[in-house]
Amino acid sequence: MQHFIFSINATMPVFLVMVFGWVLTRLGLLNEAFTSVADRYVFRIALPCQLFLDIAQTDLRADFDPRFVVFCFTTTFLMFSVVWFASAHLLPDKYMVGAFTQASCRGSAAVLGIAFVNNIYGNSGMTPLMIVAAVPLFNIFSVILLTLSARDNAGGTQAIRKSVVGILKNPIILSIFAGLPFSLLNISIPQLPLNAIDSIGGTATPIALLSIGAGFQGAKALSKLKPTAVSTFIKLVLLPALVLPAAAAFGFRGTEMVAILIMVGAPTTVTSYIMARNMNNDAELSSSVIVLSTLLSSVTLTLWIFLLSSQGLI
């Protein structure tokens, strides 16, 4: 029973805030303008501040585990490659391949990952290193897949080049690398800017979760049920079932294990819809997977955390 209570306490507060955002939207207190501004604020300001401090105040010389970084990188590469290969051969509509693969593999690693690990441990632990190892590959694979699967492949090279530049300018990645000198050289941040950055970073998780809930489209987004269900199963069940035992065999525990769970088992990120829509792919399928995976992830993530806790892995 204690493991079940632990897992509920770890997951339910996150989803209750999302539900609260949805309720506020139904009451007319939040709208699309809020979600648009909130998403940009979290992505460009609040989350980078939080990740900067997490890295800057971590002794990476003592905590850095190259095995963990290599594991996250390799796992990301393999899951995208395998799902891409399988969907390209099994899906009758090739227009769906890019959106299907992206939705099946690209979880909300940064926002929900930080939220869950913070909720369990009080800090983001090894999640920033997971983001460094996995998120750039998320973007690279997504652009390549969506370019190849687009109805009109014109401008594919330009799209890939633009994505590479976007990755290099990504505020999340930049904030993590900005924190590295402070960590590696043991540089202390003065108290005044430290408190200010910490206050701004502290707004990232609640605002992001409210925005996700406020932007939730509900049942009308559920279409193409068969590929949606298969993609959601891959995202929430199959990938964690394959990767977590491997992670345990490599000796990962605690925040490392939770970060890996988020990497492979978090619900599909809303970014997948934005990219699919703007790159002439199956945005409808992307939206459907986001809806279903978000709805079901409160159950699956709770069960995965319960299993990991009961086995003494977190």
Side-chain angles (χ1 to χ4, degrees):
M1 179 61 70
Q2 69 182 47
H3 297 299
F4 179 74
I5 294 175
F6 173 82
S7 58
I8 288 293
N9 288 335
T11 56
M12 285 303 105
V14 172
F15 291 96
L16 287 177
V17 176
M18 292 173 63
V19 171
F20 185 56
W22 180 84
V23 171
L24 290 178
T25 303
R26 303 284 80 76
L27 295 175
L29 298 176
L30 299 180
N31 54 30
E32 186 176 347
F34 165 80
T35 61
S36 178
V37 173
D39 288 344
R40 291 200 303 271
Y41 166 75
V42 171
F43 182 72
R44 297 178 183 178
I45 305 296
L47 192 56
C49 284
Q50 183 176 349
L51 293 174
F52 167 77
L53 282 187
D54 286 335
I55 287 291
Q57 296 181 312
T58 298
D59 187 355
L60 288 179
R61 289 175 298 181
D63 298 337
F64 182 76
D65 185 354
R67 295 184 315 117
F68 177 73
V69 174
V70 171
F71 183 88
C72 292
F73 184 93
T74 304
T75 298
T76 301
F77 180 84
L78 288 176
M79 69 181 182
F80 267 94
S81 299
V82 172
V83 174
W84 182 12
F85 179 83
S87 60
H89 285 78
L90 297 178
L91 285 176
D93 185 355
K94 303 309 176 187
Y95 170 61
M96 298 169 58
V97 170
F100 179 91
T101 304
Q102 182 187 215
S104 300
C105 299
R106 189 176 185 179
S108 184
V111 175
L112 285 182
I114 297 295
F116 276 112
V117 181
N118 272 335
N119 201 35
I120 297 173
Y121 293 103
N123 60 74
S124 62
M126 301 302 285
T127 306
L129 288 182
M130 179 271 286
I131 293 172
V132 167
V135 170
L137 270 187
F138 283 1
N139 289 286
I140 293 170
F141 262 106
S142 295
V143 170
I144 294 173
L145 292 170
L146 294 174
T147 299
L148 294 176
S149 300
R151 290 205 185 277
D152 179 6
N153 284 327
T157 302
Q158 182 181 359
I160 292 176
R161 187 184 301 114
K162 184 178 179 181
S163 176
V164 171
V165 173
I167 292 169
L168 295 176
K169 293 182 177 180
N170 189 303
I172 293 175
I173 302 299
L174 290 176
S175 67
I176 291 173
F177 280 104
L180 288 176
F182 291 87
S183 175
L184 296 175
L185 300 178
N186 198 25
I187 301 174
S188 298
I189 302 174
Q191 195 63 42
L192 183 60
L194 176 66
N195 290 341
I197 296 172
D198 185 51
S199 296
I200 296 171
T203 65
T205 296
I207 291 180
L209 295 177
L210 283 173
S211 179
I212 292 173
F216 193 72
Q217 294 296 314
K220 70 178 184 179
L222 288 176
S223 59
K224 302 187 177 180
L225 288 179
K226 185 175 181 179
T228 296
V230 173
S231 179
T232 300
F233 174 79
I234 292 172
K235 187 73 198 71
L236 301 182
V237 178
L238 182 60
L239 290 178
L242 294 174
V243 174
L244 293 178
F250 274 90
F252 297 122
R253 300 291 186 273
T255 59
E256 293 175 332
M257 184 63 78
V258 177
I260 291 170
L261 168 61
I262 295 302
M263 181 180 71
V264 298
T268 303
T269 176
V270 295
T271 307
S272 64
Y273 170 77
I274 296 171
M275 289 187 64
R277 183 184 61 189
N278 286 280
M279 294 184 68
N280 200 19
N281 270 253
D282 197 334
E284 189 177 59
L285 175 61
S286 299
S287 177
S288 297
V289 177
I290 291 169
V291 170
L292 189 59
S293 64
T294 301
L295 283 171
L296 297 181
S297 62
S298 59
V299 177
T300 57
L301 283 175
T302 298
L303 290 176
W304 285 122
I305 290 176
F306 170 72
L307 290 173
L308 293 174
S309 175
S310 63
Q311 295 299 313
L313 297 175
I314 63 175

